[in-house]
Amino acid sequence: MRARQLVCGIWSLCFMFCLFCIFLHQTTAKRKLKFVSVVFRHGDHTPLEFFPTDKHKEVARQQGYGQLTKLGIQQQYELGQYLRRRYSYFLSVVYKQCEASCISGSDASPLYGRISMSDISNSTLPYGIYVQSTDCDHTLMSAQASLAGLYPPTQGQIWNPRILWQPIPVHTVPPSHDNLLYLPFSHCPKYNELLRETFATRDFQRQLKQYRPFLKFLATHTGYPLKKLNTERIWKLSDTLQYEDINNYTLPVWATHGVRTKLIKLSELLLQAEFGFHKQIQKSRLQGGILLKTILKHISDARKPSHQQKMVMYSAHAPTIVALQMALNVFNGKLPPYSACHFFELYQEKNGQVSASCTPEQLLELRSLFSSSARMGVTWLPNPSRILCFSFHIILILLQQTTAERELKFVVVVFRHGDRTPIVNFPTDLHKESEWPQGFGQLTKTGMQQLFELGQYTRKRYSNFLNSTYNRQEFYIQSTDYDRTIMSAQSYLSGLFPPTSSQIWNPDLLWQPIPVHTLQKSTDRRLHFPLPDCPRFDELQNETQTSIEFQNRIQPYMDFLQTMAVNTGLELNQLKILDNFQLWNTYDTLHCEDIHNYTLPVWATKDVIDKMEKLAELSLLSLFGIYKTEEKSRLQGGVLVNIILNSIKQAANSSKQRKMEVYSAHDTTVGALQIALNIFNGKLPPYAACQFFELYQESSGQVSSYLFKNKERYSIEMHYRNDSSKDPYLLTLPGCTSSCPLEKFAELVSPVITENWSKECGKKDKMKDIFIGFDVAVGLLFIFDLVLLYLLYHYGRCRRRNNYQDI
């Protein structure tokens, strides 16, 4: 009996436990994470400046100011790993560009319009993890390191078994335009007025009073004048001492633990003054409230049923997190440490409603892991032979001395991105965007490998010129604001600067983050061709399409175009206008599908694709050439020529350490540049096509001076690499030699360089028009007043009033 009761009791307990589990499952299963926004501070970095009496200034010269350290890379990598663990059930194991959102995104563009291939929207799906970062080396590098921990390549995403890393784009805007993350945003008169009021308040002055002797103490020992110890300098001083302490540098005798603690307390006080203390709500509206509004906008968008975005990430600074938390009124008064992270999580509750769970979390600082000369023998020969041999020997010596004094000084590199998925599909295309794992316009594994190989080639080509380790003072890279070009730049850097010796931060991951700078599409006047918003260029394009030169080239293809209109579903009249990219895009789509073994339409034979390629080449040529090429170049490729020439001139005329500038861009960029220089070969630049500009300093010795009549001379060589199996082609600027003197080069390219791009484009200065209109209005009003006074004086004299005495 007792046994039966025991069994019944156990069964009842099990039944109740099962009911509880079912209830718990139903309760929790309906609370579903929908969207996450993450804001984090960068990792440990080298100081932004050293105080005057600091004995470790040489560190800045060696590593550079504001560079992420190995410890900082490890901190951010572990933050990425933490994000992977925290959201393992939410994010896909493999990186998907359609799973997270960029902040600004790409402006939506029509599938077929008068825009370049690089202008066309990457995808009809949401854009991908593209983290937004401030345009600072340490935040850009922190973002890359975090992504390395969050998305290590797995399965089919491994493109290089020796480097278990994959490029993921990080986007940015210049600090002068960044009022979202680069806080405090000082270009705001009202905020500056509020800040002055804050510093004058009794509450702030009362708290600052206890630090006045300490400020004098700092001025005495750091070498800063007391008046120069402003908020920003106090922050930087605290950072510098923290860096030296963490990285085991000998601190000054006066920089005791108590002094450093007090300095942090002062920094926290000044931080609160920047964003609070006085009229905090008004300050937040001008500072952290802008970021909060943006985050709330993304959360609001994520509530829509059709929304697929899962995560937005921001890489920023301590003031960014403080400003955000001040706006939320959740700031704890402490300085956010390195890798501090603030999460916003949006949940869909069991009743179908959606709620936002703000989880402020400051992560603790993560642990520290951390030529030989050849001898020449001479054999005496009979007199004639001896004379001939002696002459030959002298020539060799002269040649050796001449070439030995030819020194490479500076290099500019412009390359096209690597292999990617199609940009768009045409109406009758057999394949839709959903068939491409990452969507349209994304770099493929092949593309990553192509740019990695280009980086390795660049390393070999300039092994005696570039430093073996990355040095930000010697090297700078910029990309257009597209996923594929940013990822191409990152892949290129992984081949050019693999970490060696002291730069290895993880023995199992031979990669290091290197900042890639970008400009917004709307402000990019360097690489994004054809440059938009240029009325005169639009006129030239219209004239080109009707010109005799263009019509003679396109006439042989008219029957073919008619057939293509039937096959592709595109309108014939639109296909005939090559500068609208319809035919070029169609060829590109078929080319991508062919490379990646997708089934092509029956009509897309080799002969058809070859003819389409010829027309695509004609499209590129007609865009920047054929008709009035020089004027077109002044408005397009000549702009980049001028930028490159100015960089080269600066390298020739200064003692700056920069050795190389690299630009990651598109086929239209390379084409516009080469057409402006009149070195275009008429072929579409293939993936990873690369244009080199090399500046040489020559004739600095006696022999060279004798030969060149000059103590110092510079020359430019141009090399074009469009085939990885061959050496680059040496190109010659028309009118010069292959090694063209710098002065001659500048003279020959001057016709394609404009001093006032906006004026030559025919753009109207709106402000000037407003001022002119205002002046005209004032002038007309003045004339009207004069006429009115004249009429009143002659015809409307006021009658004399009687005095009171006369009444």
Side-chain angles (χ1 to χ4, degrees), residues 295-335:
I295 291 171
L296 291 176
K297 174 65 168 61
H298 286 291
I299 290 174
S300 178
D301 289 343
R303 297 174 65 184
K304 299 174 183 177
S306 60
H307 193 81
Q308 299 182 49
Q309 300 168 357
K310 288 189 174 182
M311 182 176 282
V312 170
M313 298 175 66
Y314 301 90
S315 176
H317 310 266
T320 313
I321 294 178
V322 172
L324 177 63
Q325 293 184 338
M326 280 283 197
L328 290 165
N329 202 21
V330 296
F331 181 52
N332 64 1
K334 302 294 183 181
L335 188 70

mmCIF file of all heavy atoms in Angstrom, residues 295-335:
data_model
loop_
_atom_site.group_PDB
_atom_site.id
_atom_site.type_symbol
_atom_site.label_atom_id
_atom_site.label_comp_id
_atom_site.label_asym_id
_atom_site.label_seq_id
_atom_site.Cartn_x
_atom_site.Cartn_y
_atom_site.Cartn_z
ATOM 1 N N ILE A 295 18.471 55.400 -32.634
ATOM 2 C CA ILE A 295 18.267 54.032 -32.139
ATOM 3 C C ILE A 295 16.775 53.727 -32.041
ATOM 4 O O ILE A 295 16.313 52.644 -32.441
ATOM 5 C CB ILE A 295 18.963 53.856 -30.774
ATOM 6 C CG1 ILE A 295 20.484 53.905 -30.956
ATOM 7 C CG2 ILE A 295 18.557 52.541 -30.119
ATOM 8 C CD1 ILE A 295 21.258 53.946 -29.657
ATOM 9 N N LEU A 296 15.995 54.673 -31.524
ATOM 10 C CA LEU A 296 14.558 54.470 -31.411
ATOM 11 C C LEU A 296 13.897 54.332 -32.772
ATOM 12 O O LEU A 296 12.928 53.582 -32.929
ATOM 13 C CB LEU A 296 13.925 55.632 -30.632
ATOM 14 C CG LEU A 296 14.268 55.698 -29.142
ATOM 15 C CD1 LEU A 296 13.663 56.944 -28.503
ATOM 16 C CD2 LEU A 296 13.774 54.452 -28.421
ATOM 17 N N LYS A 297 14.446 55.033 -33.763
ATOM 18 C CA LYS A 297 13.908 54.908 -35.126
ATOM 19 C C LYS A 297 14.126 53.489 -35.644
ATOM 20 O O LYS A 297 13.231 52.882 -36.244
ATOM 21 C CB LYS A 297 14.609 55.913 -36.046
ATOM 22 C CG LYS A 297 14.251 55.804 -37.532
ATOM 23 C CD LYS A 297 12.795 56.144 -37.790
ATOM 24 C CE LYS A 297 12.516 56.331 -39.276
ATOM 25 N NZ LYS A 297 12.787 55.145 -40.085
ATOM 26 N N HIS A 298 15.297 52.930 -35.393
ATOM 27 C CA HIS A 298 15.565 51.553 -35.817
ATOM 28 C C HIS A 298 14.682 50.569 -35.054
ATOM 29 O O HIS A 298 14.195 49.589 -35.631
ATOM 30 C CB HIS A 298 17.037 51.213 -35.613
ATOM 31 C CG HIS A 298 17.941 51.854 -36.607
ATOM 32 N ND1 HIS A 298 17.966 51.497 -37.931
ATOM 33 C CD2 HIS A 298 18.849 52.845 -36.481
ATOM 34 C CE1 HIS A 298 18.849 52.235 -38.575
ATOM 35 N NE2 HIS A 298 19.397 53.058 -37.718
ATOM 36 N N ILE A 299 14.471 50.825 -33.773
ATOM 37 C CA ILE A 299 13.607 49.950 -32.981
ATOM 38 C C ILE A 299 12.174 50.021 -33.497
ATOM 39 O O ILE A 299 11.486 49.002 -33.623
ATOM 40 C CB ILE A 299 13.680 50.339 -31.492
ATOM 41 C CG1 ILE A 299 15.056 49.956 -30.922
ATOM 42 C CG2 ILE A 299 12.574 49.670 -30.687
ATOM 43 C CD1 ILE A 299 15.282 50.415 -29.500
ATOM 44 N N SER A 300 11.733 51.236 -33.819
ATOM 45 C CA SER A 300 10.382 51.401 -34.359
ATOM 46 C C SER A 300 10.224 50.675 -35.687
ATOM 47 O O SER A 300 9.217 49.994 -35.929
ATOM 48 C CB SER A 300 10.078 52.891 -34.530
ATOM 49 O OG SER A 300 8.801 53.090 -35.096
ATOM 50 N N ASP A 301 11.241 50.774 -36.550
ATOM 51 C CA ASP A 301 11.190 50.085 -37.842
ATOM 52 C C ASP A 301 11.174 48.573 -37.647
ATOM 53 O O ASP A 301 10.540 47.842 -38.414
ATOM 54 C CB ASP A 301 12.395 50.474 -38.697
ATOM 55 C CG ASP A 301 12.307 51.914 -39.186
ATOM 56 O OD1 ASP A 301 11.207 52.489 -39.150
ATOM 57 O OD2 ASP A 301 13.357 52.462 -39.583
ATOM 58 N N ALA A 302 11.884 48.096 -36.604
ATOM 59 C CA ALA A 302 11.979 46.650 -36.374
ATOM 60 C C ALA A 302 10.650 46.054 -35.932
ATOM 61 O O ALA A 302 10.473 44.838 -35.968
ATOM 62 C CB ALA A 302 13.055 46.365 -35.324
ATOM 63 N N ARG A 303 9.705 46.887 -35.500
ATOM 64 C CA ARG A 303 8.407 46.383 -35.074
ATOM 65 C C ARG A 303 7.512 46.007 -36.246
ATOM 66 O O ARG A 303 6.510 45.316 -36.066
ATOM 67 C CB ARG A 303 7.708 47.449 -34.221
ATOM 68 C CG ARG A 303 8.462 47.779 -32.938
ATOM 69 C CD ARG A 303 7.830 48.925 -32.203
ATOM 70 N NE ARG A 303 6.491 48.599 -31.733
ATOM 71 C CZ ARG A 303 5.686 49.471 -31.114
ATOM 72 N NH1 ARG A 303 6.096 50.706 -30.914
ATOM 73 N NH2 ARG A 303 4.481 49.097 -30.720
ATOM 74 N N LYS A 304 7.878 46.450 -37.447
ATOM 75 C CA LYS A 304 7.061 46.144 -38.621
ATOM 76 C C LYS A 304 7.210 44.666 -38.979
ATOM 77 O O LYS A 304 8.311 44.119 -38.939
ATOM 78 C CB LYS A 304 7.492 47.022 -39.790
ATOM 79 C CG LYS A 304 7.328 48.520 -39.515
ATOM 80 C CD LYS A 304 7.912 49.363 -40.634
ATOM 81 C CE LYS A 304 7.805 50.850 -40.300
ATOM 82 N NZ LYS A 304 8.439 51.702 -41.339
ATOM 83 N N PRO A 305 6.129 44.010 -39.349
ATOM 84 C CA PRO A 305 6.181 42.567 -39.652
ATOM 85 C C PRO A 305 7.153 42.212 -40.767
ATOM 86 O O PRO A 305 7.752 41.139 -40.756
ATOM 87 C CB PRO A 305 4.731 42.244 -40.053
ATOM 88 C CG PRO A 305 3.912 43.321 -39.415
ATOM 89 C CD PRO A 305 4.756 44.554 -39.414
ATOM 90 N N SER A 306 7.296 43.119 -41.739
ATOM 91 C CA SER A 306 8.162 42.810 -42.892
ATOM 92 C C SER A 306 9.628 43.095 -42.629
ATOM 93 O O SER A 306 10.473 42.842 -43.479
ATOM 94 C CB SER A 306 7.706 43.629 -44.106
ATOM 95 O OG SER A 306 7.795 45.027 -43.819
ATOM 96 N N HIS A 307 9.927 43.613 -41.447
ATOM 97 C CA HIS A 307 11.302 44.029 -41.146
ATOM 98 C C HIS A 307 12.187 42.817 -40.877
ATOM 99 O O HIS A 307 11.824 41.933 -40.107
ATOM 100 C CB HIS A 307 11.299 44.942 -39.932
ATOM 101 C CG HIS A 307 12.592 45.669 -39.728
ATOM 102 N ND1 HIS A 307 12.935 46.800 -40.419
ATOM 103 C CD2 HIS A 307 13.627 45.416 -38.891
ATOM 104 C CE1 HIS A 307 14.118 47.223 -40.020
ATOM 105 N NE2 HIS A 307 14.560 46.402 -39.089
ATOM 106 N N GLN A 308 13.371 42.753 -41.508
ATOM 107 C CA GLN A 308 14.270 41.614 -41.348
ATOM 108 C C GLN A 308 15.579 41.974 -40.653
ATOM 109 O O GLN A 308 16.399 41.108 -40.401
ATOM 110 C CB GLN A 308 14.585 41.003 -42.719
ATOM 111 C CG GLN A 308 13.370 40.474 -43.446
ATOM 112 C CD GLN A 308 13.751 39.845 -44.769
ATOM 113 O OE1 GLN A 308 14.661 39.030 -44.834
ATOM 114 N NE2 GLN A 308 13.074 40.225 -45.829
ATOM 115 N N GLN A 309 15.808 43.243 -40.392
ATOM 116 C CA GLN A 309 17.055 43.637 -39.755
ATOM 117 C C GLN A 309 17.090 43.137 -38.316
ATOM 118 O O GLN A 309 16.087 43.175 -37.622
ATOM 119 C CB GLN A 309 17.189 45.161 -39.778
ATOM 120 C CG GLN A 309 17.204 45.739 -41.185
ATOM 121 C CD GLN A 309 17.053 47.245 -41.171
ATOM 122 O OE1 GLN A 309 16.876 47.838 -40.128
ATOM 123 N NE2 GLN A 309 17.104 47.853 -42.343
ATOM 124 N N LYS A 310 18.263 42.690 -37.885
ATOM 125 C CA LYS A 310 18.381 42.137 -36.540
ATOM 126 C C LYS A 310 19.307 42.942 -35.629
ATOM 127 O O LYS A 310 19.118 42.944 -34.425
ATOM 128 C CB LYS A 310 18.883 40.694 -36.608
ATOM 129 C CG LYS A 310 17.844 39.705 -37.122
ATOM 130 C CD LYS A 310 18.335 38.281 -36.950
ATOM 131 C CE LYS A 310 17.246 37.278 -37.321
ATOM 132 N NZ LYS A 310 17.704 35.885 -37.110
ATOM 133 N N MET A 311 20.324 43.586 -36.208
ATOM 134 C CA MET A 311 21.300 44.233 -35.327
ATOM 135 C C MET A 311 21.926 45.450 -35.994
ATOM 136 O O MET A 311 22.184 45.453 -37.191
ATOM 137 C CB MET A 311 22.409 43.253 -34.922
ATOM 138 C CG MET A 311 23.439 43.849 -33.977
ATOM 139 S SD MET A 311 24.681 42.657 -33.408
ATOM 140 C CE MET A 311 23.759 41.789 -32.156
ATOM 141 N N VAL A 312 22.150 46.472 -35.171
ATOM 142 C CA VAL A 312 22.891 47.668 -35.553
ATOM 143 C C VAL A 312 23.996 47.850 -34.529
ATOM 144 O O VAL A 312 23.756 47.710 -33.331
ATOM 145 C CB VAL A 312 21.972 48.906 -35.573
ATOM 146 C CG1 VAL A 312 22.782 50.174 -35.720
ATOM 147 C CG2 VAL A 312 20.966 48.808 -36.699
ATOM 148 N N MET A 313 25.207 48.142 -34.998
ATOM 149 C CA MET A 313 26.345 48.285 -34.085
ATOM 150 C C MET A 313 27.028 49.631 -34.307
ATOM 151 O O MET A 313 27.185 50.068 -35.448
ATOM 152 C CB MET A 313 27.349 47.146 -34.300
ATOM 153 C CG MET A 313 26.782 45.767 -34.027
ATOM 154 S SD MET A 313 27.941 44.434 -34.441
ATOM 155 C CE MET A 313 29.239 44.714 -33.238
ATOM 156 N N TYR A 314 27.404 50.267 -33.192
ATOM 157 C CA TYR A 314 28.105 51.546 -33.238
ATOM 158 C C TYR A 314 29.422 51.427 -32.468
ATOM 159 O O TYR A 314 29.422 51.034 -31.301
ATOM 160 C CB TYR A 314 27.276 52.648 -32.596
ATOM 161 C CG TYR A 314 25.920 52.895 -33.208
ATOM 162 C CD1 TYR A 314 24.804 52.214 -32.754
ATOM 163 C CD2 TYR A 314 25.747 53.842 -34.213
ATOM 164 C CE1 TYR A 314 23.556 52.459 -33.288
ATOM 165 C CE2 TYR A 314 24.506 54.085 -34.753
ATOM 166 C CZ TYR A 314 23.405 53.395 -34.286
ATOM 167 O OH TYR A 314 22.172 53.633 -34.815
ATOM 168 N N SER A 315 30.517 51.788 -33.095
ATOM 169 C CA SER A 315 31.822 51.798 -32.438
ATOM 170 C C SER A 315 32.216 53.247 -32.187
ATOM 171 O O SER A 315 32.361 54.027 -33.136
ATOM 172 C CB SER A 315 32.866 51.119 -33.334
ATOM 173 O OG SER A 315 34.157 51.205 -32.757
ATOM 174 N N ALA A 316 32.380 53.612 -30.896
ATOM 175 C CA ALA A 316 32.562 55.026 -30.584
ATOM 176 C C ALA A 316 33.469 55.209 -29.373
ATOM 177 O O ALA A 316 34.402 54.424 -29.163
ATOM 178 C CB ALA A 316 31.197 55.671 -30.360
ATOM 179 N N HIS A 317 33.155 56.217 -28.545
ATOM 180 C CA HIS A 317 34.057 56.662 -27.490
ATOM 181 C C HIS A 317 33.322 56.730 -26.160
ATOM 182 O O HIS A 317 32.089 56.618 -26.088
ATOM 183 C CB HIS A 317 34.616 58.042 -27.833
ATOM 184 C CG HIS A 317 35.177 58.139 -29.215
ATOM 185 N ND1 HIS A 317 36.510 57.938 -29.508
ATOM 186 C CD2 HIS A 317 34.576 58.375 -30.414
ATOM 187 C CE1 HIS A 317 36.714 58.066 -30.803
ATOM 188 N NE2 HIS A 317 35.552 58.323 -31.377
ATOM 189 N N ALA A 318 34.087 56.983 -25.089
ATOM 190 C CA ALA A 318 33.493 57.125 -23.762
ATOM 191 C C ALA A 318 32.464 58.261 -23.722
ATOM 192 O O ALA A 318 31.367 58.078 -23.197
ATOM 193 C CB ALA A 318 34.596 57.344 -22.719
ATOM 194 N N PRO A 319 32.758 59.462 -24.264
ATOM 195 C CA PRO A 319 31.746 60.529 -24.252
ATOM 196 C C PRO A 319 30.464 60.150 -24.992
ATOM 197 O O PRO A 319 29.388 60.629 -24.636
ATOM 198 C CB PRO A 319 32.461 61.698 -24.945
ATOM 199 C CG PRO A 319 33.904 61.450 -24.723
ATOM 200 C CD PRO A 319 34.055 59.962 -24.782
ATOM 201 N N THR A 320 30.577 59.291 -26.003
ATOM 202 C CA THR A 320 29.378 58.858 -26.726
ATOM 203 C C THR A 320 28.445 58.099 -25.803
ATOM 204 O O THR A 320 27.229 58.339 -25.770
ATOM 205 C CB THR A 320 29.768 57.960 -27.925
ATOM 206 O OG1 THR A 320 30.836 58.556 -28.654
ATOM 207 C CG2 THR A 320 28.575 57.745 -28.837
ATOM 208 N N ILE A 321 29.008 57.148 -25.037
ATOM 209 C CA ILE A 321 28.190 56.349 -24.122
ATOM 210 C C ILE A 321 27.643 57.230 -22.999
ATOM 211 O O ILE A 321 26.471 57.116 -22.616
ATOM 212 C CB ILE A 321 29.017 55.187 -23.553
ATOM 213 C CG1 ILE A 321 29.377 54.205 -24.680
ATOM 214 C CG2 ILE A 321 28.268 54.464 -22.446
ATOM 215 C CD1 ILE A 321 30.234 53.034 -24.248
ATOM 216 N N VAL A 322 28.465 58.141 -22.487
ATOM 217 C CA VAL A 322 28.000 59.029 -21.416
ATOM 218 C C VAL A 322 26.859 59.915 -21.922
ATOM 219 O O VAL A 322 25.835 60.087 -21.242
ATOM 220 C CB VAL A 322 29.162 59.886 -20.880
ATOM 221 C CG1 VAL A 322 28.642 60.947 -19.917
ATOM 222 C CG2 VAL A 322 30.193 59.015 -20.194
ATOM 223 N N ALA A 323 27.023 60.494 -23.121
ATOM 224 C CA ALA A 323 25.974 61.360 -23.683
ATOM 225 C C ALA A 323 24.673 60.591 -23.878
ATOM 226 O O ALA A 323 23.583 61.095 -23.597
ATOM 227 C CB ALA A 323 26.446 61.938 -25.018
ATOM 228 N N LEU A 324 24.797 59.340 -24.345
ATOM 229 C CA LEU A 324 23.610 58.507 -24.548
ATOM 230 C C LEU A 324 22.944 58.189 -23.212
ATOM 231 O O LEU A 324 21.713 58.299 -23.063
ATOM 232 C CB LEU A 324 24.019 57.220 -25.261
ATOM 233 C CG LEU A 324 22.924 56.175 -25.494
ATOM 234 C CD1 LEU A 324 21.831 56.719 -26.408
ATOM 235 C CD2 LEU A 324 23.521 54.892 -26.084
ATOM 236 N N GLN A 325 23.734 57.804 -22.208
ATOM 237 C CA GLN A 325 23.170 57.442 -20.913
ATOM 238 C C GLN A 325 22.627 58.666 -20.169
ATOM 239 O O GLN A 325 21.655 58.567 -19.423
ATOM 240 C CB GLN A 325 24.215 56.708 -20.078
ATOM 241 C CG GLN A 325 24.584 55.341 -20.654
ATOM 242 C CD GLN A 325 25.549 54.564 -19.781
ATOM 243 O OE1 GLN A 325 26.260 55.132 -18.968
ATOM 244 N NE2 GLN A 325 25.574 53.249 -19.943
ATOM 245 N N MET A 326 23.254 59.827 -20.392
ATOM 246 C CA MET A 326 22.720 61.071 -19.829
ATOM 247 C C MET A 326 21.345 61.375 -20.421
ATOM 248 O O MET A 326 20.424 61.802 -19.716
ATOM 249 C CB MET A 326 23.677 62.230 -20.115
ATOM 250 C CG MET A 326 24.860 62.295 -19.173
ATOM 251 S SD MET A 326 24.376 62.987 -17.581
ATOM 252 C CE MET A 326 25.976 63.415 -16.909
ATOM 253 N N ALA A 327 21.215 61.159 -21.730
ATOM 254 C CA ALA A 327 19.931 61.398 -22.386
ATOM 255 C C ALA A 327 18.860 60.452 -21.846
ATOM 256 O O ALA A 327 17.681 60.803 -21.767
ATOM 257 C CB ALA A 327 20.073 61.238 -23.900
ATOM 258 N N LEU A 328 19.279 59.250 -21.449
ATOM 259 C CA LEU A 328 18.357 58.265 -20.880
ATOM 260 C C LEU A 328 18.207 58.417 -19.366
ATOM 261 O O LEU A 328 17.383 57.743 -18.749
ATOM 262 C CB LEU A 328 18.867 56.848 -21.182
ATOM 263 C CG LEU A 328 18.789 56.391 -22.637
ATOM 264 C CD1 LEU A 328 19.655 55.155 -22.854
ATOM 265 C CD2 LEU A 328 17.346 56.101 -23.030
ATOM 266 N N ASN A 329 19.078 59.277 -18.782
ATOM 267 C CA ASN A 329 19.109 59.492 -17.334
ATOM 268 C C ASN A 329 19.439 58.197 -16.585
ATOM 269 O O ASN A 329 18.860 57.895 -15.541
ATOM 270 C CB ASN A 329 17.775 60.069 -16.839
ATOM 271 C CG ASN A 329 17.921 60.793 -15.503
ATOM 272 O OD1 ASN A 329 19.022 61.211 -15.135
ATOM 273 N ND2 ASN A 329 16.824 60.937 -14.788
ATOM 274 N N VAL A 330 20.380 57.426 -17.136
ATOM 275 C CA VAL A 330 20.810 56.178 -16.480
ATOM 276 C C VAL A 330 22.325 56.168 -16.246
ATOM 277 O O VAL A 330 22.896 55.125 -15.941
ATOM 278 C CB VAL A 330 20.408 54.936 -17.327
ATOM 279 C CG1 VAL A 330 18.915 54.810 -17.440
ATOM 280 C CG2 VAL A 330 21.054 54.974 -18.718
ATOM 281 N N PHE A 331 22.967 57.318 -16.359
ATOM 282 C CA PHE A 331 24.423 57.372 -16.191
ATOM 283 C C PHE A 331 24.783 57.158 -14.730
ATOM 284 O O PHE A 331 24.202 57.779 -13.831
ATOM 285 C CB PHE A 331 24.948 58.710 -16.687
ATOM 286 C CG PHE A 331 26.436 58.872 -16.585
ATOM 287 C CD1 PHE A 331 27.294 57.908 -17.121
ATOM 288 C CD2 PHE A 331 26.989 59.969 -15.950
ATOM 289 C CE1 PHE A 331 28.671 58.054 -17.028
ATOM 290 C CE2 PHE A 331 28.364 60.125 -15.858
ATOM 291 C CZ PHE A 331 29.199 59.161 -16.395
ATOM 292 N N ASN A 332 25.769 56.288 -14.476
ATOM 293 C CA ASN A 332 26.160 55.953 -13.095
ATOM 294 C C ASN A 332 27.279 56.839 -12.560
ATOM 295 O O ASN A 332 27.771 56.611 -11.448
ATOM 296 C CB ASN A 332 26.574 54.482 -13.001
ATOM 297 C CG ASN A 332 27.823 54.164 -13.830
ATOM 298 O OD1 ASN A 332 28.400 55.041 -14.466
ATOM 299 N ND2 ASN A 332 28.218 52.904 -13.825
ATOM 300 N N GLY A 333 27.702 57.814 -13.343
ATOM 301 C CA GLY A 333 28.727 58.740 -12.884
ATOM 302 C C GLY A 333 30.143 58.252 -13.059
ATOM 303 O O GLY A 333 31.097 58.963 -12.736
ATOM 304 N N LYS A 334 30.324 57.042 -13.581
ATOM 305 C CA LYS A 334 31.654 56.461 -13.756
ATOM 306 C C LYS A 334 32.094 56.570 -15.213
ATOM 307 O O LYS A 334 31.288 56.467 -16.133
ATOM 308 C CB LYS A 334 31.664 54.990 -13.336
ATOM 309 C CG LYS A 334 31.233 54.746 -11.899
ATOM 310 C CD LYS A 334 32.223 55.344 -10.913
ATOM 311 C CE LYS A 334 31.819 55.037 -9.475
ATOM 312 N NZ LYS A 334 32.761 55.640 -8.496
ATOM 313 N N LEU A 335 33.398 56.729 -15.397
ATOM 314 C CA LEU A 335 33.954 56.777 -16.746
ATOM 315 C C LEU A 335 33.846 55.403 -17.387
ATOM 316 O O LEU A 335 34.355 54.422 -16.832
ATOM 317 C CB LEU A 335 35.427 57.207 -16.680
ATOM 318 C CG LEU A 335 36.121 57.502 -18.014
ATOM 319 C CD1 LEU A 335 35.579 58.779 -18.627
ATOM 320 C CD2 LEU A 335 37.631 57.634 -17.795
#
